[in-house]
Amino acid sequence: MSQEDNQTNDRLLIAGREYRSRLLVGTGKYKDMDETARAIEASGAEIVTVAVRRTNLGQNPGEPNILDVLSPERYTILPNTAGCYDAETAVRTCKLARELLDGHTLVKLEVLGDEKTLFPDVMATIEAAKVLVEDGFDVMVYTNDDPIVARELESIGCVAVMPLAAPIGSGLGIRNPLNILTIVENAKVPVLVDAGVGTASDAAEAMELGCDGVLMNTAIAAARDPVLMASAMRKGIEAGREAFLAGRMPAKRFASASSPIEGLFF
């Protein structure tokens, strides 16, 4: 199959919908809405996540509405529960998003454990996921890099599992690639690295591990040039995915000559 055929046929499938881009981006921390729109355009992302508790989706009339620069006709808006520290608040936030977005059911669930680490509260996340799935939501769920927890969230009915690479906003890159690999190998739903990516090589590494996509915000918004970094992340995702599909050579301890010595003329 040619490179062009790979790009044409290789799609990210979430909740029954296909996407060309495997890069998902957030909308926080930009200096203004113009920069937000330009960076997202440069990223090539088709799914854009929005913190319902921090961003106006219409619940605050008279204030700038993020949907004025990010049309739901062009992007899949992914409401998230950032800033929620208990299951009840997270569920209520998702229900508010469904009302604001005319019955929209695709949501990103995150229930945080504390303000210092922003690690997920796993028990509260599982509790909220059960309620939301039962209520008809398509839940993409932020979690830690524990394969057992990932398996439980999938069994509940979440449409995508999103293990962290490192703490939110840290830019540390993938701290535990073997756990991420184990999650990928066992999952039957898309696995997307969420949180901790710092630069394009981190995004490429996630894709080379076999992840279906990467979600990021700070890595782009906090860059010196967010629009240029968004473009770099787009290319990193594409390169990493192609490398995964191509299948890397086996790693070897000792050298192996590029030109075989057998059959030399002299």
Side-chain angles (χ1 to χ4, degrees):
M1 182 178 291
S2 69
Q3 178 183 1
E4 184 176 350
D5 289 337
N6 264 333
Q7 292 174 339
T8 300
N9 298 321
D10 186 40
R11 294 284 191 266
L12 172 61
L13 181 64
I14 296 179
R17 183 170 176 179
E18 290 187 348
Y19 300 91
R20 295 183 302 276
S21 175
R22 292 175 178 272
L23 175 58
L24 291 70
V25 295
T27 57
K29 302 185 179 180
Y30 292 97
K31 67 180 182 181
D32 53 37
M33 285 198 180
D34 177 66
E35 183 178 74
T36 303
R38 289 188 295 113
I40 292 173
E41 171 77 25
S43 77
E46 297 169 280
I47 301 177
V48 180
T49 188
V50 177
V52 179
R53 302 187 74 202
R54 299 170 179 165
T55 308
N56 184 26
L57 291 170
Q59 67 269 44
N60 297 313
E63 295 185 9
N65 188 330
I66 192 68
L67 301 182
D68 291 337
V69 295
L70 299 174
S71 169
E73 295 181 2
R74 177 175 181 183
Y75 298 102
T76 293
I77 304 300
L78 179 63
N80 71 60
T81 60
C84 294
Y85 289 85
D86 60 80
E88 181 181 356
T89 304
V91 169
R92 186 168 61 248
T93 300
C94 289
K95 290 182 177 180
L96 172 61
R98 183 168 59 184
E99 292 180 10
L100 291 170
L101 296 173
D102 299 323
H104 185 87
T105 58
L106 183 66
V107 295
K108 179 196 166 188
L109 171 65
E110 57 181 81
V111 185
L112 304 177
D114 64 70
E115 294 184 1
K116 181 177 181 179
T117 67
L118 299 182
F119 280 138
D121 181 331
V122 171
M123 291 180 288
T125 298
I126 290 174
E127 178 186 348
K130 288 179 179 178
V131 174
L132 291 169
V133 170
E134 180 72 19
D135 196 23
F137 283 92
D138 296 311
V139 180
M140 301 174 66
V141 58
Y142 166 68
T143 183
N144 58 17
D145 58 6
D146 184 333
I148 306 305
V149 174
R151 184 178 66 192
E152 175 64 18
L153 290 166
E154 180 179 339
S155 71
I156 288 170
C158 295
V159 299
V161 175
M162 308 177 74
L164 56 81
I168 292 172
S170 68
L172 290 172
I174 299 177
R175 296 291 86 193
N176 200 337
L178 294 181
N179 272 22
I180 299 292
L181 180 60
T182 300
I183 293 172
V184 168
E185 289 176 338
N186 291 298
K188 295 181 176 62
V189 297
V191 175
L192 299 94
V193 157
D194 179 13
V197 168
T199 190
S201 59
D202 299 330
E205 181 183 5
M207 300 308 295
E208 289 172 6
L209 287 170
C211 291
D212 297 279
V214 179
L215 189 150
M216 66 183 74
N217 185 180
T218 307
I220 295 175
R224 186 172 62 249
D225 185 334
V227 176
L228 187 58
M229 182 59 80
S231 176
M233 290 297 189
R234 177 179 188 168
K235 294 164 186 169
I237 292 284
E238 292 172 352
R241 181 63 178 177
E242 288 186 9
F244 171 74
L245 293 174
R248 65 157 290 156
M249 62 167 283
K252 300 177 181 179
R253 181 179 177 185
F254 297 111
S256 176
S258 298
S259 300
I261 61 174
E262 294 85 359
L264 292 178
F265 291 108
F266 56 88

